[in-house]
Amino acid sequence: FSFGFQGDREKILSAIGEKIGRLLYTLDALDDLEKDEKSGAFNPILKEYGSSLKAKSAFSQLDIVLSFYNLTEHIINTIH
């Protein structure tokens, strides 16, 4: 994500790339939740919460605005 950039631009793009990667990994795990639970395949969310029911309950309580704020704050702190 930050290949070819230096300094602050490299830091910013690296932080953005890392967060996008984490988001995609989490979304994929959420998408595969029930399938992985049935098949017994590894799923990091199932490992953390134990069942798709508990995971869905935990994720349904997330505050999207707070999550976005924390992501933005982390990126800003990374470049300072």
Side-chain angles (χ1 to χ4, degrees), residues 10-31:
E10 180 183 22
K11 290 179 185 178
I12 292 168
L13 292 172
S14 290
I16 291 170
E18 178 188 350
K19 298 303 176 191
I20 289 172
R22 287 181 183 208
L23 175 63
L24 293 175
Y25 184 74
T26 302
L27 291 174
D28 182 57
L30 282 170
D31 189 47

Side-chain angles (χ1 to χ4, degrees), residues 12-70:
I12 292 168
L13 292 172
S14 290
I16 291 170
E18 178 188 350
K19 298 303 176 191
I20 289 172
R22 287 181 183 208
L23 175 63
L24 293 175
Y25 184 74
T26 302
L27 291 174
D28 182 57
L30 282 170
D31 189 47
D32 295 343
L33 197 60
E34 291 171 349
K35 177 183 67 120
D36 290 344
E37 187 174 41
K38 287 178 184 175
S39 71
F42 176 77
N43 185 301
I45 295 173
L46 285 174
K47 183 178 180 191
E48 179 70 26
Y49 293 98
S51 74
S52 61
L53 184 63
K54 288 179 184 177
K56 286 179 183 179
S57 176
F59 276 86
S60 71
Q61 298 173 22
L62 286 178
D63 180 1
I64 300 300
V65 174
L66 181 58
S67 296
F68 177 76
Y69 171 76
N70 288 335

